Amino acid sequence: MVLDVIDKKLLVFLQQDCKQTNKELSNKLNLSVTAVYERIKKLEKEGIINKYVALVRKEKIDKAFVVFCHIKLIQHSQEYVIKFEREVANLNEVLECYHISGDYDYLLKVLVKDMEAFREFMVNKLTNINHIGSTHSMFVISEVKHTTAINV
C-alpha cells in the first residue's frame, strides 16, 4: 500500500491521540467523516495500524527504574536462541527485547520499581534462563526523549 499525503497526516493525528473522533479528524483533514472512517479501516486492514493502546506513565505506577541489559549467550545454536527468546518473552519486567549485532546478542529494556527490584529480577528471573554467558546492565539517569510515534 502506498501512503498518500492524507494517509500520512491521518497517521500523525492518530499517533498523537487515537481517541479523536472521526468528526474531529475529518475537520483537521478536510474530509468527510465517512472518508476518514474508510481510510482508517484500510490502514488497519493493511496492517499499517497494528493496534490501539493506552500509554501509562511509569512514575504513576511506581515502575520508573529503567535498565538496559546487554545479554551474551554462551553459544549461538538455534536451540539456545529459541529457548532464550521464548523465556525472555514471558518476563513481565522486560518491555522490549532485540536480537542485535555486535559484542552482545540481545538488548533488553527492563522496567522495575527500583534497584532492589532490579536485583531481584536479575537473581530470580533473568539469570535462571539457561545459556546466558554474560550480562551488562546500564541504568537510566534521565529520559531525554521517549516517543512511540513513528515519523511518516
Side-chain angles (χ1 to χ4, degrees):
M1 176 180 170
V2 178
L3 299 176
D4 65 17
V5 173
I6 294 172
D7 289 328
K8 290 178 180 180
K9 285 181 183 177
L10 178 56
L11 287 170
V12 168
F13 292 142
L14 288 172
Q15 287 184 95
Q16 290 170 349
D17 179 8
C18 70
K19 290 190 75 171
Q20 296 176 76
T21 66
N22 288 349
K23 177 70 174 159
E24 291 171 313
L25 292 165
S26 72
N27 289 335
K28 291 178 180 180
L29 296 167
N30 293 318
L31 293 175
S32 70
V33 174
T34 303
V36 168
Y37 174 82
E38 293 299 326
R39 282 179 180 266
I40 291 172
K41 287 300 169 200
K42 185 177 171 188
L43 291 166
E44 291 170 347
K45 182 178 177 257
E46 293 293 325
I48 293 169
I49 294 176
N50 189 32
K51 63 181 166 181
Y52 300 92
V53 298
L55 299 177
V56 177
R57 290 188 56 204
K58 58 188 174 293
E59 302 82 16
K60 297 289 186 178
I61 60 164
D62 208 17
K63 297 237 174 141
F65 195 72
V66 181
V67 184
F68 289 95
C69 297
H70 286 108
I71 306 290
K72 188 181 291 189
L73 299 181
I74 56 174
Q75 189 179 358
H76 296 107
S77 71
Q78 182 179 9
E79 174 192 349
Y80 287 8
V81 167
I82 290 170
K83 187 175 184 333
F84 172 80
E85 290 178 1
R86 187 178 339 109
E87 291 187 35
V88 82
N90 290 320
L91 299 175
N92 292 329
E93 296 86 351
V94 177
L95 295 184
E96 299 172 41
C97 175
Y98 301 97
H99 194 176
I100 58 173
S101 64
D103 293 336
Y104 289 90
D105 301 312
Y106 291 91
L107 177 63
L108 310 181
K109 181 178 182 181
V110 178
L111 187 66
V112 290
K113 179 181 178 179
D114 53 22
M115 179 64 83
E116 185 178 327
F118 179 69
R119 183 183 186 287
E120 188 81 13
F121 165 76
M122 286 294 289
V123 170
N124 295 320
K125 292 185 178 182
L126 190 62
T127 57
N128 282 336
I129 297 176
N130 292 329
H131 316 305
I132 292 179
S134 64
T135 66
H136 176 83
S137 300
M138 298 168 289
F139 310 104
V140 172
I141 296 169
S142 69
E143 190 174 275
V144 177
K145 179 181 179 180
H146 176 95
T147 184
T148 59
I150 298 171
N151 186 13
V152 292

